[in-house]
Amino acid sequence: MSVLSPFIASRDKSVMKKTRTKKSRQTPTISGKRALIPVRALDFVMYNTKDIRKTRAFYQKLFGFKRGEEWTDWWSEFHTAPLTFCLNGTAHERHPEWDWSGAACVALAVDDVPAAIAKCRKRAFPPRPLAPNGKIMQRTLVKDALNATAPLDAILLQGWVRTRRDAKAFSFIELNDGSCLKGLQIIVDAALPDYAQVARVNTGASIEVSGKLVESKGGGQKWEVVAEKFTVLGEADATYPLQKKGHTMEFLREIAHLRPRSNLFGAVFRVRSRLAYAIHQFFQEKGFYYVHTPIVTASDAEGAGDMFRVTTLDLANPPKTEQGDIDHAKDFFGKKTFLTVSGQLEAEIFACALSNVYTFGPTFRAENSHTSRHASEFWMIEPEVAFCDLNGDMELAEEFVKYLIRDIRAHCAGDLEFFAKFVDKELLPRLDFVLDKPFVRCSYTEAVEILIKSGKTWEHPVAWGDNLQSEHERYLTEEHFKCPVTVYNYPRAIKAFYMRQTDGCAEGRETVAAMDLLVPGIGEIIGGSQREERLDKLRAGMALHHLEEKNYWWYLDLRRYGTVPHAGFGLGFERMLMFVTGVANIRDVIPFARTPGTAEF
RNA sequence: UGCCCGGUAGCUCAGUGGCAGAGCAGGUGACUGUUAAUCACUUGGUCGUAGGUUCAAUCCCUACCCGGGCAGCCA
């Protein structure tokens, strides 16, 4: 077969009309010696281009064919080779088997029409199954199929095989498409013409099945699908790492590209998605505005851990000043820059304009932490509220945490049951307990007294003025109160410069309006404070922490012009997710975790 | 970063100073409306890497790498 000449659909109104019919979108059609060959969205460029020479130039550039080469040459290559190319900066892979459905059309004049059509048919995915009424079937998600209220004569499912069990006259296939935890059982009768394909199906293969949704004859599930058409889309051989047997979390972490297909991680990431949604919903319902704070920042001393440097300087040969130091003025931003550890200072700016705001985005800590609850890259939610004091802040934090738990309880019930069964038996009672009870509020000073009176021997001794250690926080929330605890009013010296000094403190017992929300099992999940709104006190705080005012001129301006009391907090998104799912390691609630020494995927 | 534990088949793990083991997965066959199906047979290994001790090291010692736990730092 050879293609004689290109024919752009838009140049011929009659052809253009045909391209818009549904039928022509599915299969090539013939009109005299002209074949209508459906192509995918990319080719819409051709379809819409008025000037054929521009189109040629576009494809010349795209495929690198030279002027004078026959159109035929590159066109045929276009249709035979899987191509990778770049359009509008996006890399696409041209799969050799295209799904023609929904495609635009380009008309070609060919000398051997049947051969051209045969070629196209071969390249396209098998045609979408037709329902009894002749319409193309739409895919049904497993989640929706399982919720069916009546049998269905025609259903189309696509997904991945979890397990196959062969019987004498048919096979059972458990299909999962990630839409929910549960899979759907597929029955493939050995008499079916497609049955030969079942032998190619192992755990992990991707398949497409159409057939009838019927009530299951066996126990264990309400619905099952009796296949009428069965297609293997992608095989998975014996090297597929996910087996039917349970895997350790550590092993699954090493195959982060496949672990979302496991029950546990599918559930974790569905809940993660819902939790993110619930966070926005909570704040939006309360009239908070969402602020995007910068990820690259020049503020390097917020007292929240070590920061990652951001630079375009040649590290092997950096520009130097006359004194021999690295000349940061020559760097991309003209100064030293870092990845942010918090959006709080910027959020304060917006709170002092829009009143109620929140941020929700990634933050970065270059701490060399090797624990189950620290990551180098994590997401944080930071509400900031104008005209709000510490009490209002604590109330908001409590309401927020309870709202999120209630939302996940209501919308992720199936996934939570799975966690309760396999991850943390106490999960559901604990979540309900948290919902029922008001959080305990306890001042730092009271907490220190409780710890001293406990009679426990501490690895780290308790003394007023020292930070509460992990063991102390755990004792308070897990043993003493057995409930989430908000500890507030911490010693001034151990907290950040921007926290509001408490009025009327005794000499040597100065505190600031800080609060930490501690929850059983995880420890600190929220840290927040009322911000110092008085210019003179803020400057004193900066002096105490040895910070240079010139680096915070804009922050100080907020106190110079129309200052207001305001407060906010930071909630670690992943820590909340750990609390809600019972998953013990932060690396297992992040799709692709970044921790010291690990940035795979 | 400190302390502790671990690294043996694709996965989960036993094991011993003297020929390397099981279950699951894979393969073959049987059986079966099955539910991580079952039964029989079977393929599969530089015992993390590099040194050292020893007649002999997967095992004992040292260093390093990787993973996990706890602590610090924090959310």
Side-chain angles (χ1 to χ4, degrees):
Chain A
M1 174 199 110
S2 68
V3 179
L4 296 179
S5 65
F7 188 94
I8 303 302
S10 62
R11 302 212 128 198
D12 182 331
K13 296 242 161 86
S14 67
V15 174
M16 198 169 163
K17 261 190 182 171
K18 282 184 187 170
T19 65
R20 297 219 167 134
T21 66
K22 272 190 178 172
K23 199 180 170 191
S24 68
R25 281 188 191 162
Q26 285 175 69
T27 49
T29 54
I30 313 163
S31 164
K33 286 199 99 182
R34 200 174 284 157
L36 274 180
I37 300 179
V39 292
R40 296 236 291 197
L42 171 83
D43 304 60
F44 222 79
V45 175
M46 273 180 95
Y47 179 82
N48 276 337
T49 303
K50 285 181 184 156
D51 187 340
I52 188 168
R53 276 169 302 184
K54 275 190 190 163
T55 310
R56 268 180 180 268
F58 172 76
Y59 277 97
Q60 271 178 347
K61 203 172 165 191
L62 199 60
F63 297 109
F65 75 92
K66 295 187 187 78
R67 231 166 246 287
E69 268 180 48
E70 273 303 309
W71 180 269
T72 327
D73 297 333
W74 67 265
W75 180 259
S76 88
E77 188 192 342
F78 181 57
H79 273 273
T80 51
L83 297 170
T84 306
F85 50 85
C86 212
L87 177 69
N88 297 337
T90 314
H92 296 265
E93 187 158 0
R94 177 69 79 179
H95 196 279
E97 296 184 332
W98 302 355
D99 180 356
W100 301 120
S101 59
C105 289
V106 165
L108 290 177
V110 295
D111 58 359
D112 185 353
V113 170
I117 292 171
K119 192 170 179 181
C120 286
R121 285 224 166 101
K122 201 174 139 204
R123 298 255 156 248
F125 266 146
R128 283 280 189 87
L130 298 180
N133 62 8
K135 290 197 170 163
I136 304 170
M137 291 174 71
Q138 294 298 312
R139 177 190 185 193
T140 301
L141 292 175
V142 168
K143 175 177 69 172
D144 298 325
L146 290 172
N147 285 332
T149 51
L152 291 169
D153 276 349
I155 189 167
L156 170 68
L157 292 138
Q158 294 160 323
W160 294 269
V161 172
R162 281 297 169 75
T163 179
R164 187 187 98 205
R165 296 176 289 271
D166 292 332
K168 191 163 197 170
F170 48 87
S171 289
F172 298 101
I173 289 171
E174 193 187 325
L175 176 82
N176 184 287
D177 64 6
S179 60
C180 64
L181 186 70
K182 290 204 173 86
L184 188 57
Q185 179 159 282
I186 313 288
I187 313 288
V188 190
D189 196 284
L192 209 67
D194 293 337
Y195 189 74
Q197 294 204 46
V198 170
R200 295 162 57 207
V201 169
N202 292 321
T203 301
S206 52
I207 59 169
E208 177 178 272
V209 182
S210 60
K212 289 181 163 56
L213 185 74
V214 300
E215 284 190 44
S216 179
K217 287 182 200 165
Q221 62 280 315
K222 184 168 186 223
W223 298 107
E224 63 190 19
V225 169
V226 178
E228 287 165 358
K229 184 137 184 48
F230 181 89
T231 312
V232 179
L233 301 179
E235 292 180 38
D237 69 13
T239 61
Y240 182 67
L242 282 174
Q243 296 167 12
K244 298 170 203 174
K245 246 190 148 44
H247 292 290
T248 58
M249 308 276 255
E250 290 78 19
F251 171 68
L252 290 167
R253 233 171 262 158
E254 290 167 14
I255 50 165
H257 60 309
L258 296 172
R259 71 177 181 170
R261 298 190 199 178
S262 67
N263 283 335
L264 176 70
F265 286 95
V268 165
F269 294 120
R270 278 188 297 272
V271 174
R272 187 179 169 113
S273 168
R274 179 70 210 189
L275 187 64
Y277 181 78
I279 283 161
H280 284 295
Q281 196 167 267
F282 174 80
F283 287 119
Q284 296 289 335
E285 281 172 1
K286 292 180 81 69
F288 281 57
Y289 293 107
Y290 179 31
V291 180
H292 293 122
T293 52
I295 287 169
V296 175
T297 176
S299 308
D300 67 340
E302 288 161 19
D306 293 338
M307 301 173 83
F308 289 101
R309 285 292 308 278
V310 174
T311 181
T312 54
L313 294 179
D314 178 4
L315 294 182
N317 186 23
K320 298 275 178 70
T321 61
E322 284 176 11
Q323 287 77 35
D325 302 325
I326 293 177
D327 187 359
H328 296 290
K330 294 221 166 65
D331 205 345
F332 190 85
F333 294 105
K335 55 170 70 171
K336 275 173 103 167
T337 47
F338 308 86
L339 291 179
T340 186
V341 293
S342 161
Q344 180 204 313
L345 300 190
E346 289 92 348
E348 282 186 48
I349 293 174
F350 271 78
C352 293
L354 308 185
S355 286
N356 297 325
V357 300
Y358 67 106
T359 73
F360 183 14
T363 52
F364 306 86
R365 303 281 163 90
E367 291 288 346
N368 195 7
S369 297
H370 290 274
T371 83
S372 54
R373 55 186 204 287
H374 288 87
S376 310
E377 180 181 319
F378 64 97
W379 284 56
M380 187 154 64
I381 300 99
E382 295 177 292
E384 194 69 35
V385 185
F387 309 100
C388 178
D389 63 8
L390 188 68
N391 274 321
D393 203 31
M394 291 192 283
E395 272 163 32
L396 181 68
E398 179 169 343
E399 187 187 351
F400 182 42
V401 167
K402 286 182 170 172
Y403 180 96
L404 296 181
I405 293 172
R406 201 172 292 119
D407 184 277
I408 297 300
R409 280 296 264 134
H411 293 99
C412 302
D415 292 327
L416 285 195
E417 271 169 39
F418 180 80
F419 297 132
K421 201 167 169 189
F422 293 106
V423 178
D424 181 355
K425 299 250 186 294
E426 298 301 310
L427 179 68
L428 297 182
R430 190 170 63 241
L431 292 180
D432 291 338
F433 180 81
V434 169
L435 283 180
D436 292 343
K437 292 262 183 128
F439 295 180
V440 172
R441 298 213 182 135
C442 166
S443 75
Y444 169 87
T445 305
E446 289 163 1
V448 167
E449 282 167 16
I450 289 168
L451 291 168
I452 291 171
K453 278 189 198 151
S454 73
K456 288 225 162 197
T457 47
W458 304 106
E459 193 184 329
H460 303 269
V462 182
W464 199 99
D466 292 345
N467 236 324
L468 296 182
Q469 303 296 314
S470 227
E471 57 175 340
H472 307 144
E473 294 182 345
R474 270 214 313 275
Y475 173 80
L476 289 173
T477 184
E478 290 170 12
E479 290 183 52
H480 187 80
F481 292 115
K482 295 190 169 69
C483 168
V485 182
T486 312
V487 181
Y488 62 94
N489 282 1
Y490 280 82
R492 186 184 176 197
I494 58 170
K495 286 292 181 179
F497 75 93
Y498 50 73
M499 297 184 177
R500 190 180 195 279
Q501 294 172 42
T502 318
D503 296 320
C505 289
E507 182 80 19
R509 288 276 174 127
E510 291 88 359
T511 62
V512 290
M515 63 105 169
D516 284 351
L517 175 59
L518 312 174
V519 295
I522 293 170
E524 185 178 342
I525 198 166
I526 280 179
S529 66
Q530 183 175 347
R531 322 306 187 187
E532 181 56 82
E533 84 280 12
R534 299 160 296 188
L535 181 63
D536 56 328
K537 304 261 185 187
L538 181 60
R539 293 172 79 168
M542 290 178 71
L544 186 73
H545 289 84
H546 309 292
L547 298 176
E548 288 191 53
E549 289 190 12
K550 68 175 167 61
N551 293 332
Y552 295 91
W553 61 273
W554 47 272
Y555 192 68
L556 291 164
D557 264 7
L558 295 181
R559 280 74 182 169
R560 287 195 181 98
Y561 308 118
T563 190
V564 295
H566 60 290
F569 61 81
L571 169 83
F573 180 59
E574 283 82 5
R575 286 195 183 168
M576 187 67 205
L577 192 51
M578 290 165 74
F579 187 68
V580 164
T581 58
V583 170
N585 195 310
I586 199 165
R587 284 166 266 228
D588 297 324
V589 295
I590 301 177
F592 306 102
R594 270 77 181 104
T595 51
T598 308
E600 194 69 52
F601 304 100

